[in-house]
Amino acid sequence: DTGVSQDPRHKITKRGQNVTFRCDPISEHNRLYWYRQTLGQGPEFLTYFQNEAQLEKSRLLSDRFSAERPKGSFSTLEIQRTEQGDSAMYLCASSQKLAGYQETQYFGPGTRLLVL
Amino acid sequence: AQSVSQHNHHVILSEAASLELGCNYSYGGTVNLFWYVQYPGQHLQLLLKYFSGDPLVKGIKGFEAEFIKSKFSFNLRKPSVQWSDTAEYFCAVNLYGGATNKLIFGTGTLLAVQP
């Protein structure tokens, strides 16, 4: 169990550029979540996948945001035409869906995005 | 809408003092409850969780939390804090068996322990 990993850890970009973040979940975890955290706030849910299916998207996820999880393994989160308001920490979490509803999410180190 | 409130935004304690951080949630159904901790420069780590059974749960590093259903609360406690407990603490809930499995987080409590 190597934990959830995210890449890059930091990203600085200019407004209007596209950025893509990657998340590698704990192996064999079938659920993967993306959250966004801004200063002074707790993480806010963006979207989640069970295997390769994207099952829910928050209204926070505008049309400029897209997430994928091909083959149910790693996931990517892309932000197109970045805006200064996109500056935040983007967190990935994974979990194993077992019988019942006792599910624990484990978080990665996050990707800190700064849009200039 | 489901929400989580953490009443203490900043707490400063001396070593060996007792700690209690409040967490209340708004949802009438069954919930799963969590406390996560973020140490300086590190990622969110699970401190403890409650799914069912004994409402007093014990976590890592001597922390415990008590689920009081009638008060919609899940307060975190530690009898004697250490300098190494300096961190930000987040309470989180999700719906038991709901259509969504997302976690709803509180705004966090920043704990500073003075040596």
Side-chain angles (χ1 to χ4, degrees), chain A residues 7-14 17-21 82 87-88 90 110-116:
Chain A
D7 183 70
R9 297 289 303 276
H10 304 272
K11 180 70 178 179
I12 301 174
T13 191
K14 293 182 180 179
Q17 298 295 304
N18 298 344
V19 293
T20 300
F21 310 141
T82 53
S87 295
Y90 290 84
T111 295
R112 185 172 295 281
L113 172 67
L114 177 61
V115 181
L116 301 176

Side-chain angles (χ1 to χ4, degrees), chain B residues 90-107:
Chain B
F90 293 93
C91 181
V93 303
N94 71 358
L95 302 182
Y96 185 97
T100 177
N101 296 278
K102 63 185 177 186
L103 288 172
I104 307 297
F105 283 86
T107 53

Side-chain angles (χ1 to χ4, degrees), chain A residues 15-78:
Chain A
R15 188 177 55 185
Q17 298 295 304
N18 298 344
V19 293
T20 300
F21 310 141
R22 177 182 170 122
C23 170
D24 287 89
I26 293 171
S27 59
E28 298 182 358
H29 274 192
N30 56 5
R31 286 189 168 175
L32 187 148
Y33 299 78
W34 286 99
Y35 293 82
R36 181 170 69 187
Q37 185 178 18
T38 54
L39 201 60
Q41 300 296 319
E44 294 178 291
F45 169 80
L46 293 178
T47 188
Y48 99 95
F49 295 82
Q50 179 158 318
N51 300 313
E52 65 275 7
Q54 189 173 18
L55 296 185
E56 185 177 353
K57 293 192 291 186
S58 164
R59 61 180 182 273
L60 291 176
L61 215 64
S62 76
D63 291 345
R64 296 183 298 105
F65 288 71
S66 63
E68 294 182 342
R69 193 183 182 198
K71 302 179 183 177
S73 55
F74 70 92
S75 176
T76 57
L77 178 68
E78 181 182 15

Side-chain angles (χ1 to χ4, degrees), chain B residues 22-71:
Chain B
C23 173
N24 287 88
Y25 63 92
S26 63
Y27 180 66
T30 305
V31 293
N32 295 324
L33 298 156
F34 305 83
W35 276 96
Y36 285 87
V37 60
Q38 188 164 26
Y39 298 102
Q42 297 187 27
H43 61 278
L44 274 171
Q45 301 173 37
L46 181 68
L47 199 56
L48 48 77
K49 60 189 176 186
Y50 173 80
F51 291 140
S52 63
D54 188 344
L56 185 62
V57 293
K58 297 190 183 299
I60 60 172
K61 303 185 180 183
F63 285 90
E64 66 179 29
E66 184 176 12
F67 171 49
I68 302 179
K69 188 174 182 179
S70 61
K71 294 185 178 180

